Amino acid sequence: MKNIELQSILNRCVEKTASFQDFLTLIGLTNKDDLSALYQAAYQVKVNEVGNFVRLRGIIEFSNICNKDCLYCGIRKSNASFERFKMSKDEVLQSAEWAYEMNYGSVLLQAGERVDDEFIDFVEDCVKEIKLLSDNKLGITLSLGEQSRDTYARWFAAGAHRYLLRIETSNEELYKSLHPNDHSFDNRKKCLGWLRDAGYQVGTGVMIGFPRQSDEDLINDIMFFKEQDVDMIGMGPYIEHPDTPMSNSFLEYDAKKQHTLALKMIACTRLAMPNINIAASTALQALDQTGREKGLLAGANVIMPNLTDTKYRDKYKLYDGKPCLDENASQCRLCLEGRVAKIGEKIIYNEWGDSPHFKQRQKHKRD
Ligand code: 5AD
Ligand code: FES
């Protein structure tokens, strides 16, 4: 595309006057120089709005027992080809304590989706005890799927303050193609509202590049993020898992193309929502050795180093080729520090790392 045309689209993005069509043009870019220009523009917006800093969320994947049956996901209920596990409370707390000692600032508790009382109590206890062991200093994000309004409120009262619930796609028809009939798009959307009402910083996100999803769908996803006024985004490329109904649904799976599409989506989201937190997801690294660094250079500012004990890691495979299965938490920490330093970014320790967007929202509420 002509350099001058691309520059004027990027300028409109920075000036916040870009149209749907402008974003559609950006997500469709294929030329190497055009892509570099897009990533650089998004990176510049990131540096201006949130700095050249990386925020860490140490992720603890504490159980792979799941009551959902999403057609793309490796730990779906119907996949009987691997062993299910759940960590004890002590194991969860040990991981959190390690994150606290390493000055991570924040942890993310993630697991398969369950709504039974035992599970709800377990999470509530873990949250309370992590707050105690860290003298209230460790931030806690939850990513535990669709729950009742009451459960969200209980976990918030226990001390969790951020919640990540991906909408997966904002296109209801496509949502149906990804899920069995008893999974509801409306309920998922309702949950995002309940989370906001409960006081959480709310995050959502989508899978990028799954079958039948168009560029228009992706830009609509960004419009959905804006409409929901979310504080953070966690999204990554769709990657096939062999033991799911959706495996082999591509005629030809092109890892490089998937990866580039995910980077373009990160860049466009940063341009559309300059002051939110955007994660460079682990799935980015599954497709490209330096995928997460590329994510940071395209506008992301959060990384989620894995704290899960190696004995459980290979049992938490949502998609094929998940990286870091043999590395323990200390190895991941050193590796990440090196990776981040190499690209001239700086990890911020000992802070929750709330997005400026959230802080602004709080201020508006007070004023
Ligand atoms: N490819 C990429 N992401 C996936 N997830 C689940 N399965 C896959 C897959 N095959 C993502 C979903 C979910 C999150 C926990 O993991 O977006 O919300
Ligand atoms: Fe885990 Fe590099 S991030 S080994």
Side-chain angles (χ1 to χ4, degrees):
M1 134 172 242
K2 280 213 186 88
N3 201 8
I4 188 153
E5 275 173 42
L6 179 55
Q7 271 316 318
S8 46
I9 293 179
L10 293 172
N11 288 345
R12 285 200 288 279
C13 287
V14 173
E15 287 155 8
K16 299 195 169 73
T17 56
S19 64
F20 189 92
Q21 187 57 47
D22 286 335
F23 280 107
L24 206 51
T25 306
L26 295 178
I27 205 90
L29 295 177
T30 52
N31 172 285
K32 207 162 155 258
D33 293 339
D34 292 348
L35 290 171
S36 296
L38 167 63
Y39 302 152
Q40 269 172 33
Y43 186 74
Q44 199 50 54
V45 168
K46 165 182 122 165
V47 171
N48 293 347
E49 299 280 340
V50 298
N52 65 339
F53 305 125
V54 177
R55 310 286 180 173
L56 300 182
R57 317 276 182 247
I59 179 165
I60 307 169
E61 298 156 336
F62 68 83
S63 169
N64 64 1
I65 301 170
C66 191
N67 282 336
K68 284 288 186 85
D69 224 4
C70 307
L71 304 178
Y72 45 85
C73 183
I75 66 166
R76 65 197 298 268
K77 179 169 67 177
S78 303
N79 184 2
S81 69
F82 66 102
E83 205 188 321
R84 302 280 170 172
F85 75 89
K86 66 175 185 241
M87 284 186 191
S88 66
K89 196 163 76 185
D90 279 349
E91 286 175 308
V92 174
L93 298 182
Q94 265 167 30
S95 289
E97 190 156 27
W98 184 88
Y100 178 52
E101 281 162 7
M102 293 298 135
N103 306 313
Y104 269 19
S106 199
V107 288
L108 166 70
L109 301 186
Q110 194 176 65
E113 196 170 305
R114 280 174 56 189
V115 293
D116 53 281
D117 289 343
E118 185 198 323
F119 182 77
I120 295 167
D121 293 345
F122 179 84
V123 173
E124 188 176 40
D125 284 352
C126 286
V127 170
K128 280 186 182 155
E129 295 202 24
I130 292 173
K131 282 293 179 195
L132 271 180
L133 72 83
S134 69
D135 197 17
N136 246 347
K137 294 207 178 78
L138 213 45
I140 303 178
T141 308
L142 300 178
S143 174
L144 302 168
E146 291 168 51
Q147 301 287 340
S148 69
R149 192 192 262 279
D150 179 52
T151 300
Y152 288 144
R154 266 178 66 187
W155 290 344
F156 186 80
H161 65 124
R162 287 195 272 251
Y163 203 104
L164 192 58
L165 179 68
R166 290 187 180 181
I167 191 76
E168 313 298 358
T169 172
S170 61
N171 176 331
E172 195 167 351
E173 281 309 304
L174 278 184
Y175 190 91
K176 282 189 192 142
S177 77
L178 295 175
H179 299 98
N181 283 338
D182 60 349
H183 292 33
S184 155
F185 177 81
D186 278 343
N187 192 60
R188 210 166 176 90
K189 210 168 139 184
K190 219 185 284 167
C191 285
L192 288 173
W194 290 343
L195 287 165
R196 172 66 79 95
D197 293 347
Y200 290 91
Q201 292 174 49
V202 182
T204 191
V206 294
M207 284 194 304
I208 304 162
F210 60 83
R212 293 184 41 218
Q213 184 187 43
S214 67
D215 286 355
E216 281 85 355
D217 290 321
L218 288 170
I219 303 307
N220 276 325
D221 290 340
I222 296 178
M223 299 302 135
F224 177 86
F225 303 157
K226 277 180 81 106
E227 186 189 293
Q228 294 283 321
D229 196 25
V230 290
D231 303 297
M232 55 202 196
I233 292 291
M235 62 186 169
Y238 166 67
I239 303 174
E240 294 191 328
H241 187 295
D243 301 321
T244 60
M246 273 175 59
S247 73
N248 298 322
S249 45
F250 279 110
L251 281 177
E252 211 178 310
Y253 184 83
D254 184 336
K256 182 145 185 0
K257 222 163 132 189
Q258 286 293 94
H259 191 255
T260 305
L261 188 59
L263 292 180
K264 287 190 282 186
M265 190 62 182
I266 287 176
C268 287
T269 304
R270 174 61 70 197
L271 291 170
M273 302 181 79
N275 61 359
I276 59 169
N277 281 339
I278 302 179
S281 71
T282 313
L284 281 174
Q285 198 183 320
L287 295 182
D288 179 314
Q289 268 284 322
T290 57
R292 286 189 292 184
E293 293 90 307
K294 288 181 179 138
L296 294 175
L297 292 172
N301 68 322
V302 171
I303 281 196
M304 300 168 169
N306 201 327
L307 303 183
T308 311
D309 194 292
T310 38
K311 77 171 183 250
Y312 296 127
R313 283 196 193 194
D314 66 340
K315 299 190 181 75
Y316 202 89
K317 286 211 302 225
L318 308 174
Y319 47 80
D320 209 18
K322 183 175 174 184
C324 307
L325 291 184
D326 299 324
E327 280 80 5
N328 63 28
S330 304
Q331 286 166 321
C332 275
R333 173 172 163 266
L334 293 173
C335 168
L336 257 187
E337 282 177 353
R339 285 168 180 267
V340 168
K342 233 188 205 157
I343 58 165
E345 296 252 300
K346 191 170 178 305
I347 295 177
I348 301 287
Y349 289 100
N350 284 321
E351 282 184 15
W352 288 4
D354 297 341
S355 66
H357 180 264
F358 175 70
K359 289 179 187 155
Q360 233 170 45
R361 220 155 51 74
Q362 292 299 92
K363 190 166 173 293
H364 281 313
K365 233 170 39 190
R366 280 195 305 268
D367 292 346

